[in-house]
Amino acid sequence: MLTRSSVMVCAAAALALAGCSSGDDGKAAEPTDETVVTATVSDAPPSPVTPSASPSASPSVSAPSASPSASVPASASPSPVPVTGPDQKLVTMTVSGGFAGVNRQVVLRGDGTVRTTDSGESAVRRTTAAQFTTLRTLLGDPALDDVPAFAIDMGSADKFQYTLQFDGRTVTTDRSTDAPALDRLIGALEKWLPTN
């Protein structure tokens, strides 16, 4: 069985060979569009869970497909993180700080529910199968392995601080560093927070 590290090394090598070549002037060429892999999040609003709703069957597991012009090896695409049970916490994100001193939290669970807490009020909503797969795919992005555990601009005041717990690790950031995979995950989870 391939480990996550060996898959990342193979994917990086394949992408480097496929998209980066020396130009005629001897300078390195820019990567081509064929090396870009993205995951998108639906803008559809999350649906609330009603007390009478019964748990739905386990959502199907399918990774989002790349664009038709992309020729990226399958191992380079993020795949959804596995679910071991309905009570599993796949990710917990706490947003704190800012000028108003907020403290908000989002928890994605293995049964596809999202629990949010804001100003002492909590709510539980259920993801659609597509939303659940998208969130799990963002969590499965190998680029998250390279995100530092702590990335805060100490010279900046009043920024939000994001603390994420997933895959046995904790990452704290104020989004001041370049971490596209983490930014996509944070952006997707923020959509579940109530709007004030």
Side-chain angles (χ1 to χ4, degrees), residues 81-143:
V81 295
V83 176
T84 59
D87 294 331
Q88 176 188 8
K89 287 184 182 178
L90 297 172
V91 61
T92 300
M93 179 177 79
T94 304
V95 183
S96 59
F99 183 72
V102 303
N103 190 357
R104 306 167 89 189
Q105 188 175 69
V106 177
V107 178
L108 175 64
R109 300 187 72 91
D111 63 356
T113 58
V114 176
R115 175 177 294 277
T116 59
T117 307
D118 184 18
S119 303
E121 307 249 342
S122 65
V124 176
R125 293 179 280 171
R126 181 167 301 283
T127 62
T128 64
Q131 290 168 328
F132 190 52
T133 299
T134 298
L135 289 167
R136 291 177 35 241
T137 300
L138 290 170
L139 280 166
D141 192 331

Side-chain angles (χ1 to χ4, degrees), residues 24-40:
D24 292 336
D25 58 0
K27 295 181 182 175
E30 291 293 313
T32 65
D33 287 342
E34 296 174 354
T35 62
V36 177
V37 176
T38 60
T40 58

Side-chain angles (χ1 to χ4, degrees), residues 6 10 18 22 24 26 32-33 35 37-38 43 51 58 77 83 94 101 117 131 145 160 177 183 186:
S6 63
C10 290
S22 179
D24 292 336
T32 65
D33 287 342
T35 62
V37 176
T38 60
D43 287 333
S58 218
S77 299
V83 176
T94 304
T117 307
Q131 290 168 328
D145 292 340
F160 289 119
T177 60
D183 286 340
I186 290 171

Side-chain angles (χ1 to χ4, degrees), residues 140-159:
D141 192 331
L144 289 174
D145 292 340
D146 298 329
V147 173
F150 188 80
I152 300 286
D153 179 2
M154 300 307 279
S156 182
D158 297 328
K159 284 192 170 189

Side-chain angles (χ1 to χ4, degrees), residues 46-78:
S47 58
V49 173
T50 58
S52 62
S54 62
S56 63
S58 218
S60 62
V61 177
S62 63
S65 60
S67 67
S69 65
S71 58
V72 178
S75 62
S77 299

